[in-house]
Each structure stands twice: as C-alpha cells, then as structure tokens.
Amino acid sequence: MADEVVSNKQVILRDYVEGFPEESDMDVTTGTVRLSVQAGSNAVLVKNLYLSCDPYIWNRMKKLAGSYTESLKPGSPISGYGACKVIYSGHQKFKKGDLVWGITGWEEYTLITAPETLFKIEHMDVPVSYYTGLLGMPGMTAHGGFFRVFCPKKGETMFISAASGAVGQLVGQFAKLTGCYVVGCAGSKEKVDLPKNKFKFDDAFNYKEVTDLAAALKRYFPDGIDIYFQNVGGKMLDEVLLNMKSHGRIAACGMILQYNLEQPEPVYNLTQIIAKQIRMEGFVAFEFYPQYPEYLEMVLPQIREGKIVYVEDIAEGIESGPAARIGLFSGKNVGKQVVAVARE
Amino acid sequence: MADEVVSNKQVILRDYVEGFPEESDMDVTTGTVRLSVQAGSNAVLVKNLYLSCDPYIWNRMKKLAGSYTESLKPGSPISGYGACKVIYSGHQKFKKGDLVWGITGWEEYTLITAPETLFKIEHMDVPVSYYTGLLGMPGMTAHGGFFRVFCPKKGETMFISAASGAVGQLVGQFAKLTGCYVVGCAGSKEKVDLPKNKFKFDDAFNYKEVTDLAAALKRYFPDGIDIYFQNVGGKMLDEVLLNMKSHGRIAACGMILQYNLEQPEPVYNLTQIIAKQIRMEGFVAFEFYPQYPEYLEMVLPQIREGKIVYVEDIAEGIESGPAARIGLFSGKNVGKQVVAVARE
C-alpha cells in the first residue's frame, strides 16, 4: 500500500493570466502519485475531498508583487483551501484517516510539505464541506471582520454586498443574531431569495434591477448605514459612502469586482470618510486563525440548533474545477462554491 | 459704555460658491455694533483678535447637505474659529476682559449667542494667536489623530502631506518626539525648508518638483510607510497606498485639494486596503475636545521648553481676510494662516 502508485487528475495553470481569466487558462491533466511520503520527511499525503473556490485565488493567477498572497506557478496544479483526508503522514500531529483543512492542491492527491499549517477536523457531525466555508477561511473572515473589527451593537444597520456569497451569508446571519437590521444585495433573483427567506435578513434586493442605487439605499436605510460589509468596491462603495451614518464602519474583506480589472474602478467619495468620521479597515482571515477554537465553540452549537444555516453550490468532480472557478467570477454560483473531488 | 455703538468691519459671503472660491465671493463692509448684550440674554459680545483660516470653511461657502458642518449664510459675515476678548458677558462662565477661543464671526466684534461652546484661555505666556492653531482646533486635530487614532510606536515610519500646514507641522513634531521616522512633502521650497530645518523632520520634499512620486516614496521609505497623515486625497493617496506597509494606518483629517472640485479626484488603489490590511479612518477635531485639558497639560510644557515650535503666517487686518482665505486654497501661506484683526 505504502508504495502504491495511482493516477492523479490535476487542474494546471497554463500561464499567468492577464485580464479576465477563462476556463482555457487551466488544463485538467492526469498524472500519477505515489501514495507514500519519503522516509524522514514530515510531509503529509492527502486525498482531496472538497476544494474551495475563493475569490482571492483569481488574483494568484496573475503575476503578482506586493500582495499578501503569492502567484501560482504556471505548469503546476492550482492551490487553495480544501478539506482533505490524510492518506499517509510523516508528521506526528496527523495520522492516516484524519480529516484536515487548509491549503492543498487542485488535484485528487496532494503531498503537503508544510503540514503545520493544516487544521485538524475534530467535529464530524456537520458536513465536511463546511470546512471550506462556514468552518474554514470564509467563516473566519466573517467572524473576524464582524466581531473583532466591527463590534456591532444591537439596533445598528448593516448593508452587505454579495449577500448570498461564502462570507456575506454568514455576516448577515451573525448580524441578525446580534440584533442588527440587515439588508443585502446580490445579482440574481435566486441569490436575493436566499438572504430574504433562508438567512432571515430584513430585506435584500437585486442590484442589477435597480436603476438608482442611491435611491434604493435611501429607501432601505432612511437613517443611513452603520456598517458596510464590503465585497465589491467601485461604484457601489461610492454610493454607500454617501449613505453611511456618522462613525460608520466599512470592512474591506474583498473587492471581487476589482480583482480582474486592469484598471480598478475608481472611488470618488472618500471625503465622506472625513465628513462622517468613517473607519474603513482591510483584513484577511488568517489574522484571526489563532481564535479558531473560540470561533468553533461559538458557531458549532448555532449550526446544530439551526440558528446558522449555510448554503453551498457544489460542483461534482475535479473536472468541473475550472468552470466552477470561472463561474464564481461571473457570479454563477448561488451560495458558497465548492468542488467535490471525492466524498470520502 | 454699555450702550456704546461702534463701527464693525465685516467679511460678508456674497452668495453660495460654486466651484473654485474667489476673493470676489466675499465683501468687506462696515456696519455698526452695540457694545452690550440684551438684558436677560446669556450671550457674550467679543472683540475678535485672531481669526483662523481653516480649509473646512471653503466647504461651508458652498450649498451643503449631509456634511458635519453647515453652510454659511449669504449676506451674513463668514464664521470660523478665532481667539477673542470678551467685551460684555451675559454668561456666568465669562467676564469682561476674558480671552476665549471658539467659533466667532469674521468681523471686528461678534455677538456669540451660544457661549457654552467657547473655551476660556487660561495660559497667556504663549502667543494668543496659537489658540487658533497649535492650541486650538488644528492642535486638537493633530493630537486626536495622532495619539488617539493611530497610537504610533517608536521606529514607525510616517509620511505627511501638507507638512508645513497648520496640522501637518504639529503631527510631524509629535511623531519625532515619539521616535518615528518622518518625511513630509509640501508645494514650495520655503514650505519644504520648514519641516526639514525648523521642525526637525528626517526629510521633506517638494511634490511639485517630483516627476515620479512613486519613485520618491520608494526612495524615502524603502521598507514602506506605517502611517500616512492624509490632507490631500486623490493621486497622492493612490501612490501612498501602493507604498504602505502591512497594517498601515491612514488618518483622513482633511482632503484640502478635494474640497473645491466639482468632481473629486478618483482613488484607484483601494484594494491595497485589503491586501495590506490597512485601516483608514476619518475624524474631526471636535470629537477630541473633551480631552482638551490633557492636551494642554502635555503640549504647554513642550512649547515652553522649545520642543514644539509653531510657524504662523499672519495677515494684518480684517481687510486682508478674503485674500488670506483664498490664498490658503492655492497654498500661498507658509505655516498656519491667521488673520490678525486686533492685537488686544
């Protein structure tokens, strides 16, 4: 068994992407992998179960400099967050059969040479795929931004762009549990129905059907917005700035629409930051990883009691990877986009 | 004496300003004033000594909505911060001969109907004009932004735009006293000499002589900028964003260049806020007014010991008011712009 060689389908990045990424920027190829770890190595060989489609990865398909994340390597499998099963372990922290989540490859099997970065999955009464979303990096993004950066108070008003996305759906539900008034927006009827009906937001609207965003914001927030959970940037940020309340807070945890623009959309209304004493803060989930155990302690009971729900959009098979990844950019997914490589 | 009527020169706003303000938007006229306060009123009549030229007042010359400040009234004297002498008081907190600072009129004498907002001047071993700058609103802006919003640490790097202005010169000196590395920029040789030689910044440059701002910032901050004290907005903010360090902080306490633009200059690089986990925070001085006594306690000894110096650009006479006010916008002033209406 230890020396068994099996085939390994992989999603390979062809070359650095310039501009808008396309499915053809990736190849699905089949290689082989030896199901063992070199003697003396502390690497871990995992079987990938669920792969996470995260916006920041588009950025990694470009030739980057000076970002918090590094470029992917052309000719190599794409990497990203995933939930995986340990097949062979050279590391004392893990043993065969353990479930883990962390950075892995877009392929069936991955040799992880820095297994210290992996989180062990201890709670299996919730879907394993949740560890790519609600219980993984997007969950920590929502939690960190919401509870540690913005400390919202009961009665405060919150606006969420990308309200049915991996992070947005959670932020809104946390806000409702805190007693905030929450309105979200999204880009299709289906994606608006989720926050309205399933996530129990106070309201939601399709921004593509709104001709006058300023008027819509005025209607939903006659007294202004305290907290804006910002995934979008550009024009929407400009309109929101005009509708913020004094001492409002803006979490900048993703500007999806900006990732692939050669020249990002400009923002004009930053003087509002002074006029209204606004705080705008950028953050990334891994800053909050040390608090992961407390996050689980809070959120697992809420999941079990049905107080927090999570909607995933699962694409089947590693072959569906490139389409799922590109679909995220055009907003095809309804809920957190996951690729199921294997179920166990 | 109580019923004496004297002439009162006033700077009147002709009409709401659209676009760039000009001297001709203001008239200097001569009216009269009765040197008393109606029986039963708690108003205070003051003789204006020094008037403060503050950037935010340009904004008040326009027809405003939704700002932290209200429009001035066409046909009435312009108002703003000043240091004044009490001539007649209907308020128990003040008596004839007291010196005060706060919002007053651009005229020789002003009847202040809400004297609760005035600060009494208790320390007179420093120039009275300082209470329009270092010891007034600009001082509280510098102090609040610096010590309460940004809490800089020894060794951190700071970039200051408008480095010889009312606030910039102070922020830089506070930063040097804290052990920061400080570089400023300004728009003329004279204004660059001040931070370099008088305020003891580590360096300063004339941004008008720099053809490649990005390269200049890289040269002065090879490892990046921790703190940017932002007075300007627009293109400079974009370049600074690209040169910020991880977890950098940007204080937005004024965007002078933006005040008079119909369409403000756009900002393109806000995704840097996420990539570098930057915090950008807007604030206004009056949020910090409750801490004014502690500020005085800190800064007065520093002034007396010569650790903090302050450069003013004093225009003589109320007639010089319109020119001084407009000059501030084109950057004519070297140091804090004050109008001396009377010396005592």
Side-chain angles (χ1 to χ4, degrees), chain A residues 93 101 118-123 131 134-136 139-140 143-144 148 285-304:
Chain A
K93 193 175 147 193
W101 71 269
L118 295 172
F119 290 85
K120 206 187 277 193
I121 294 176
E122 316 266 11
H123 305 274
Y131 289 91
L134 166 56
L135 299 175
M140 288 308 286
H143 178 255
R148 297 185 189 266
F286 57 70
E287 298 185 75
F288 305 111
Y289 283 1
Q291 285 94 50
Y292 184 62
E294 292 118 64
Y295 174 62
L296 284 185
E297 208 170 294
M298 178 199 84
V299 82
L300 280 168
Q302 291 175 330
I303 299 171
R304 291 176 189 132

Side-chain angles (χ1 to χ4, degrees), chain A residues 116-293:
Chain A
E116 308 75 33
T117 61
L118 295 172
F119 290 85
K120 206 187 277 193
I121 294 176
E122 316 266 11
H123 305 274
M124 271 151 324
D125 60 334
V126 290
V128 173
S129 56
Y130 279 12
Y131 289 91
T132 67
L134 166 56
L135 299 175
M137 185 275 284
M140 288 308 286
T141 304
H143 178 255
F146 192 66
F147 290 103
R148 297 185 189 266
V149 179
F150 291 102
C151 319
K153 288 186 290 288
K154 191 175 164 179
E156 287 196 310
T157 63
M158 175 182 251
F159 179 54
I160 302 176
S161 55
S164 68
V167 178
Q169 56 174 300
L170 273 179
V171 170
Q173 291 181 79
F174 290 148
K176 284 311 302 171
L177 289 174
T178 307
C180 297
Y181 167 84
V182 182
V183 176
C185 76
S188 76
K189 187 188 174 307
E190 248 184 309
K191 289 198 276 189
V192 166
D193 284 347
L194 278 179
K196 248 174 148 163
N197 303 318
K198 199 165 175 81
F199 308 140
K200 311 293 181 203
F201 288 18
D202 294 280
D203 219 326
F205 65 90
N206 182 347
Y207 67 86
K208 288 181 182 165
E209 281 178 355
V210 158
T211 48
D212 184 345
L213 182 58
L217 290 174
K218 262 260 162 301
R219 201 162 54 241
Y220 289 109
F221 299 96
D223 299 322
I225 299 166
D226 287 305
I227 299 171
Y228 174 45
F229 211 88
Q230 144 88 347
N231 276 284
V232 179
K235 283 195 194 101
M236 187 165 295
L237 177 57
D238 259 335
E239 290 298 342
V240 170
L241 279 168
L242 292 175
N243 284 283
M244 290 295 287
K245 275 195 206 177
S246 188
H247 290 97
R249 288 91 78 199
I250 298 177
C253 77
M255 291 187 182
I256 291 193
L257 295 180
Q258 306 303 318
Y259 278 121
N260 282 283
L261 301 174
E262 280 304 291
Q263 170 80 301
E265 257 190 277
V267 174
Y268 291 92
N269 294 329
L270 285 184
T271 50
Q272 295 292 317
I273 287 186
I274 303 170
K276 294 171 177 165
Q277 303 112 65
I278 289 169
R279 176 154 53 91
M280 184 190 291
E281 191 158 349
F283 64 95
V284 290
F286 57 70
E287 298 185 75
F288 305 111
Y289 283 1
Q291 285 94 50
Y292 184 62

